[in-house]
Amino acid sequence: MSGNHIIFVLLLPILFPTLSIDASPTIPFDLNAPKFRHSRLAKSALQRQTSNEEQSELWTPLAHQGWKPCSEPDAASAVPEKSEGYIQVFLDGGLNQQRMGICDAVVVAKILNATLVIPQLEVNPVWQDSSSFEDIFDVDHFINVLKDDVAIVKELPDKFSWSTREYYGTAIRPTRIKTAPVHASAHWYLENVSPVLQSYGIAAIAPFSHRLTFDNMPKYLQHLRCKVNFQALAFVPHIRHLGDALINRLRYPSSEGNMVSNNNYLREVTDLKPKQGTGKFAVLHLRFDKDMAAHSACDFGGGKAENLALAKYRQVIWGGRVINSQFTDEELRSQGRCPLTPEEVGLLLAALGFDNSTRLYLASHKVFGGERRISALRSLFPLMEDKKSLASSEERALIKGKASLLAAVDYYVGMHSDIFVSASPGNMHNAMVGHRTYNNMKTIRPNMALLGQLFLNKTLTWSEFQESVVDGHQNRQGQIRLRKPKQSLYTYPAPDCMCQA
């Protein structure tokens, strides 16, 4: 590129301030894209070939494992004749953390023989999303499914209309419970919250995340948790409709010409299907956002500028509570404590047998580094899609800029995929692993420590890398793992939510 051209490119943002830097591949910002960190492996992966036998084994659904979903009726599950009062909870976190909090809130109301007010979702401090319960979940379905277990109301009666989040944020209030310990027992709620209900007829519990134990709980309460999570929490119709459209376009890409417009924001898909049968697709939850990258204190190859940006973000968001680790990057990686980059996830999938004809749906909100970071993954999987590539802006209008609704669509598509892959542990990982285990669906859980050690070894050949990856993931594809003490039944639904067939 000549000197004059370089000057012109540098002046573009000044001459044309509305021009999107990320949108143009000719801008220096994009020319500085991170190169492959594992170039030797990447070169081999780009030339990979998989046999029909490998493909058949990869996409074969899980065999029956001797467990099935179950919900045993119990006399104790009946709604009490008289409610002890109203329970409010205020839930923070992202969609899946809130989902678990909702399940626990129902059970706490059951323990206390109280009426649950539809939980209030706090504004997410990271994504700045103010979506309410009603924006995400089908409220009428939620109430109807649980009507024989717990009394639930959409809002408080007028005499308690003063009980708002703002009311509790301005002073110490006798009706607010803010001392609930993490993983509190049922007995704790009876001892500490029942007296408040008896005195005032209402109790607001905040904070509430992870405030109910998973251990030493009566079987009927565990079953109720399962019922809420796997039956009562259904997304609102427009999320399901958009999800169904995305699923259809992933399975039948050649039928896109059969889509017709109507008065709805969502284009409908006709019943015409390709004769060759259903196509298969995998969903990848690429948990590589700035929040995750900053919290890990790992080096992701973006140089000094990237490390400084992450350090600044760490200071602004957590105020110094999360600092650089005492461990080196190599030590963190060998312990499996570094999120996988898009490039590393691509190499993992390629080693497991996914080829360049794989229909891959990318379920993520914002990837740290944007398209520049994703390009390494896209080069390995050119048929990779996401919400933006599969749906028009009109179809996405109701979810645009709303992290919880975007995540809900991804969750819905993920629950209908042939294979789900979660790149790094987290709340989405936990929720999807548990839900798909409940339905006996193939779910690949990366072996983080193994992969960290493999990527540190710069002398590995492709065949050695692939053999180690395949061996290290034989039993990480959806096999039933029974819940151990202190573990979440939302991640490990057997045996609490499942029965041996």
Side-chain angles (χ1 to χ4, degrees):
M1 183 181 288
S2 69
N4 289 338
H5 286 154
I6 292 174
I7 292 172
F8 177 71
V9 169
L10 291 173
L11 288 174
L12 273 176
I14 300 172
L15 298 174
F16 304 100
T18 60
L19 182 65
S20 170
I21 289 180
D22 282 326
S24 173
T26 62
I27 304 300
F29 187 78
D30 280 327
L31 294 179
N32 291 331
K35 297 179 180 179
F36 279 106
R37 297 190 76 191
H38 312 287
S39 55
R40 292 176 68 253
L41 292 176
K43 182 178 180 181
S44 298
L46 288 168
Q47 300 170 349
R48 71 195 185 281
Q49 292 183 342
T50 55
S51 66
N52 291 335
E53 183 180 353
E54 288 174 316
Q55 285 294 296
S56 176
E57 182 179 353
L58 178 65
W59 292 100
T60 298
L62 285 176
H64 180 59
Q65 300 183 67
W67 291 84
K68 65 177 182 179
C70 67
S71 179
E72 300 175 12
D74 193 298
S77 68
V79 177
E81 292 184 6
K82 180 181 181 297
S83 172
E84 296 297 323
Y86 293 92
I87 289 293
Q88 286 180 291
V89 295
F90 302 92
L91 303 175
D92 55 13
L95 172 69
N96 294 292
Q97 184 175 334
Q98 291 170 339
R99 182 188 186 101
M100 297 169 196
I102 292 165
C103 298
D104 287 349
V106 171
V107 176
V108 167
K110 182 67 180 177
I111 292 169
L112 298 171
N113 286 334
T115 298
L116 177 68
V117 184
I118 290 294
Q120 182 173 324
L121 310 184
E122 302 279 42
V123 175
N124 188 298
V126 176
W127 305 120
Q128 294 298 308
D129 187 354
S130 58
S131 297
S132 67
F133 186 107
E134 295 86 347
D135 292 330
I136 305 168
F137 300 107
D138 187 326
V139 177
D140 291 333
H141 175 83
F142 180 75
I143 294 174
N144 185 58
V145 169
L146 299 171
K147 68 180 186 298
D148 296 328
D149 302 285
V150 178
I152 302 174
V153 295
K154 295 180 181 180
E155 55 187 26
L156 286 167
D158 289 342
K159 69 176 182 177
F160 292 121
S161 61
W162 49 264
S163 185
T164 65
R165 189 69 183 89
E166 292 72 25
Y167 170 78
Y168 293 111
T170 56
I172 296 175
R173 308 293 185 181
T175 53
R176 178 186 174 185
I177 309 298
K178 59 184 300 184
T179 57
V182 173
H183 299 154
S185 67
H187 179 73
W188 188 92
Y189 283 96
L190 291 170
E191 287 286 309
N192 295 275
V193 183
S194 283
V196 176
L197 287 175
Q198 291 167 9
S199 298
Y200 301 97
I202 189 170
I205 309 173
F208 187 72
S209 294
H210 310 297
R211 289 313 197 271
L212 183 63
T213 183
F214 289 106
D215 300 324
N216 302 315
M217 292 280 282
K219 186 178 290 187
Y220 78 94
L221 291 179
Q222 298 289 65
H223 286 163
L224 180 56
R225 264 177 159 153
C226 306
K227 186 175 182 178
V228 181
N229 194 36
F230 301 124
Q231 298 177 40
L233 286 176
F235 295 123
V236 292
H238 76 82
I239 289 177
R240 301 199 306 268
H241 294 161
L242 178 55
D244 286 335
L246 300 182
I247 292 161
N248 202 301
R249 293 165 200 175
L250 286 162
R251 292 207 184 280
Y252 312 108
S254 61
S255 69
E256 289 177 357
N258 296 324
M259 293 183 291
V260 295
S261 299
N262 65 6
N263 293 329
N264 279 334
Y265 85 99
L266 188 65
R267 290 177 294 170
E268 298 291 338
V269 183
T270 69
D271 291 331
L272 296 175
K273 306 293 185 191
K275 293 182 179 179
Q276 64 268 29
T278 301
K280 296 183 182 298
F281 73 96
V283 166
L284 167 64
H285 181 238
L286 189 60
R287 192 173 183 232
F288 195 73
D289 52 57
K290 182 183 285 188
D291 192 61
M292 181 77 168
H295 203 280
S296 69
C298 298
D299 185 342
F300 300 104
K304 183 180 293 185
E306 180 176 279
N307 291 335
L308 287 174
L310 290 176
K312 182 178 179 180
Y313 181 83
R314 219 175 274 131
Q315 182 64 34
V316 170
I317 297 297
W318 297 296
R321 293 189 300 276
V322 175
I323 58 175
N324 287 325
S325 172
Q326 60 180 321
F327 298 103
T328 66
D329 183 69
E330 289 76 13
E331 289 171 330
L332 290 171
R333 291 187 180 281
S334 64
Q335 296 168 16
R337 294 169 62 181
C338 291
L340 298 175
T341 65
E343 175 194 357
E344 291 167 343
V345 173
L347 293 172
L348 163 66
L349 297 181
L352 288 172
F354 292 92
D355 63 18
N356 60 8
S357 68
T358 298
R359 299 284 293 182
L360 188 64
Y361 176 85
L362 185 60
S364 292
H365 181 53
K366 290 183 179 179
V367 175
F368 179 55
E371 183 58 35
R372 295 170 298 115
R373 183 78 73 173
I374 296 173
S375 61
L377 174 63
R378 196 179 299 281
S379 66
L380 293 169
F381 296 96
L383 299 184
M384 186 170 69
E385 306 278 8
D386 57 23
K387 292 177 287 292
K388 194 170 184 179
S389 67
L390 287 171
S392 68
S393 58
E394 292 79 13
E395 292 175 305
R396 292 181 281 110
L398 292 179
I399 64 172
K400 183 178 181 182
K402 299 177 180 178
S404 293
L405 301 187
L406 293 165
V409 172
D410 286 341
Y411 190 104
Y412 186 87
V413 175
M415 279 306 302
H416 290 79
S417 63
D418 299 280
I419 302 174
F420 180 84
V421 185
S422 182
S424 299
N427 288 320
M428 176 73 158
H429 166 96
N430 294 339
M432 288 296 300
V433 166
H435 206 156
R436 288 178 65 91
T437 297
Y438 184 77
N439 291 333
N440 197 46
M441 303 170 76
K442 185 169 283 190
T443 308
I444 296 175
R445 299 180 300 109
N447 186 330
M448 303 292 287
L450 170 67
L451 291 168
Q453 293 161 19
L454 293 177
F455 287 128
L456 285 172
N457 187 341
K458 302 302 182 183
T459 65
L460 276 182
T461 64
W462 175 253
S463 60
E464 291 170 335
F465 175 77
Q466 184 173 31
E467 182 179 358
S468 295
V469 167
V470 171
D471 289 346
H473 291 82
Q474 289 288 351
N475 296 314
R476 302 179 69 87
Q477 301 191 28
Q479 289 81 0
I480 293 283
R481 294 176 296 158
L482 299 183
R483 187 179 73 84
K484 298 176 181 177
K486 297 184 179 180
Q487 288 183 332
S488 167
L489 65 74
Y490 305 124
T491 309
Y492 306 96
D496 302 273
C497 307
M498 306 180 75
C499 304
Q500 288 185 288

